[in-house]
Amino acid sequence: MKLTLVFLTIYFLFLWFGMRTKTTELTGRWWFFLRAFFPNWKFFHALGMAPRLYVHFKKGLPLGEDGPSWGEWSNWILVYPRVQRHVLNVFHNPEVNLRLGYQNLVEHLVADLNALPEGADASELVTYQLVVSLARDALSQYCSEHAELIFQFEIRMEEPWLNHPSECLRSEVMLVSREMFA
Amino acid sequence: MSADLALRLIQCLLGWSILLQTLEYFKIRHSFDNQSVWGWSLLRKEMPSLPRVVLGFLDFFFDPKRGLNALLMLRLVASLSLMSAWEVGLFIPCLFVLQVLLLFRFRGAFNGGSDFMTLVVLSGLVIHLVLASSPWFVYAAPAGLGYIGIQLLSSYFVSGWVKLRRAEWRGGQAMIIFLDAGVYGPLSENSVFRRPKVAMLCSWSFIIWEGLSPISLLGLDVALAYASIACVFHFLVFWFFGLNRFFWAWLAALPSLLYWSGRIF
């Protein structure tokens, strides 16, 4: 067992030094899809600006003589998971896990935007199109059979104010989508 | 703790964890439709280059109208078999393959860390299974449980040390920020966790407990105490962040720690 102890000591020293030095990040589709085989176990460490998805919309008004017309833009609506907790959710929490997955998509879009070459079209990104679906999904409660909706989304990088979570210390718009039909 | 008991406990807890995950997938499968956010028709555009026959196979199994239900049903049966110790030699590799397929379906992870830990525990069981039927069978249990154990300890160790390097964690502010951003947040205005001294005390407790994870190997008593605190810690993570899958995935890995405790020092 002495050998195991030596191995463990070396391993944890290696891990410790690894965290102190800047290492090269592996990029590429395969690495990304198979990252579960190489978990980095860094939980709740990233602080500062965090991405938030906002949507706004305007409803189509009945056809006038001049063709279709549109109402005013709504206020921006934050699409962010907020739910009531229940202790039994420790066994079954599908909606929360789904919404957390949605928020991860927003974070992946930001990562993809940061990696995008200068002048490239963000709307070509799969993550962009997934977030379009997410924005559309978030607006479904405002849709009706009789009214068409045009919507737009924004990705903002926000830093909340400590102890005043509803206010932002900083907020920067990172991306504004084009207008789309819901 | 004997290797047999540790492996059996892991199988039961992992089976339970995967069963809960699968029932959740069934509940939200409407969001996997092609018109929904997790629609496969969009996700498949960014699949790494694969032979056409493999893509055809994925198209069938990831389509919610065709193979996805069958895939989830198989996962459900496999998780029950793991809990009841029925044909585990068949269903452990099956669960491993299904886990990898689901990771591909959801861009590498559906629920982040819990998917990673589920894969780690499954990998440990596969290592044990493969070695047990080889000339190196005496190493089967130490290797399988060793893989799970070292990943488990690493998860705490890394998580603790990265927090220690951040001034916001050392000062307690980071904890408040994360709790405010949690799915059940924000904290109420007069929450006890907003008090700077309480926040700092909690932060340092987590940092020290996580960062010193290797000392849990000193003996069974220490490991049991460490594992008990881990259960409370993971329940709190569920309570504030809604991460119920993390609770069960990490619980499934803890018997490996009990097996290795006292065997090294």
Side-chain angles (χ1 to χ4, degrees), chain A residues 22-177:
Chain A
K22 188 133 178 94
T23 48
T24 313
E25 197 175 321
L26 296 168
T27 54
R29 277 289 128 215
W30 279 106
W31 285 115
F32 181 72
F33 273 74
L34 297 174
R35 65 190 185 280
F37 284 96
F38 316 97
N40 70 14
W41 304 127
K42 290 179 182 173
F43 297 125
F44 299 111
H45 75 290
L47 282 155
M49 306 288 272
R52 297 287 181 261
L53 171 67
Y54 284 84
V55 292
H56 72 167
F57 64 91
K58 55 186 177 184
K59 281 187 174 178
L61 299 173
L63 277 174
E65 286 180 2
D66 304 326
S69 59
W70 296 91
E72 295 292 308
W73 282 109
S74 70
N75 290 328
W76 286 101
I77 303 161
L78 173 63
V79 182
Y80 190 74
R82 289 282 192 217
V83 293
Q84 289 290 315
R85 74 157 71 84
H86 193 289
V87 69
L88 290 180
N89 289 145
V90 76
F91 298 106
H92 193 62
N93 212 8
E95 278 304 316
V96 165
N97 284 316
L98 181 64
R99 292 183 195 202
L100 290 172
Y102 287 168
Q103 183 58 25
N104 281 344
L105 277 183
V106 176
E107 286 164 19
H108 288 170
L109 170 60
V110 169
D112 285 352
L113 288 172
N114 284 328
L116 208 59
E118 194 68 39
D121 182 6
S123 66
E124 295 290 316
L125 292 168
V126 169
T127 42
Y128 179 97
Q129 293 160 40
L130 288 168
V131 171
V132 168
S133 297
L134 174 56
R136 195 170 273 139
D137 184 75
L139 286 172
S140 58
Q141 59 183 302
Y142 302 99
C143 287
S144 73
E145 284 180 20
H146 309 293
E148 277 193 298
L149 233 63
I150 283 181
F151 75 99
Q152 199 176 23
F153 74 81
E154 264 186 14
I155 301 290
R156 297 184 201 166
M157 299 302 292
E158 294 186 343
E159 186 175 355
W161 201 294
L162 188 64
N163 289 327
H164 298 282
S166 55
E167 295 168 37
C168 285
L169 190 63
R170 282 187 295 164
S171 178
E172 294 165 10
V173 176
M174 187 183 195
L175 171 82
V176 185
S177 77

Side-chain angles (χ1 to χ4, degrees), chain B residues 40-156:
Chain B
W40 172 242
S41 56
L42 190 53
L43 287 169
R44 85 186 290 278
K45 287 185 191 171
E46 62 170 1
M47 287 301 289
S49 52
L50 290 166
R52 187 171 290 182
V53 64
V54 178
L55 264 178
F57 169 82
L58 296 182
D59 282 343
F60 177 79
F61 277 108
F62 292 166
D63 187 326
K65 296 278 187 292
R66 293 191 287 178
L68 192 61
N69 277 339
L71 198 139
L72 291 177
M73 192 56 83
L74 180 59
R75 197 170 187 253
L76 199 77
V77 172
S79 68
L80 289 170
S81 86
L82 205 57
M83 288 165 70
S84 57
W86 179 66
E87 296 288 350
V88 288
L90 173 71
F91 283 112
I92 286 173
C94 172
L95 278 171
F96 181 84
V97 173
L98 289 173
Q99 183 69 13
V100 175
L101 282 174
L102 281 175
L103 293 176
F104 265 82
R105 175 66 175 78
F106 295 107
R107 309 186 72 249
F110 179 75
N111 197 238
S114 70
D115 289 338
F116 301 168
M117 188 50 90
T118 302
L119 187 68
V120 162
V121 180
L122 276 170
S123 303
L125 292 180
V126 168
I127 291 169
H128 170 257
L129 206 64
V130 170
L131 287 181
S133 55
S134 76
W136 304 285
F137 62 91
V138 288
Y139 300 112
L145 292 168
Y147 180 73
I148 300 170
I150 203 141
Q151 290 284 5
L152 177 72
L153 290 180
S154 303
S155 71
Y156 294 129

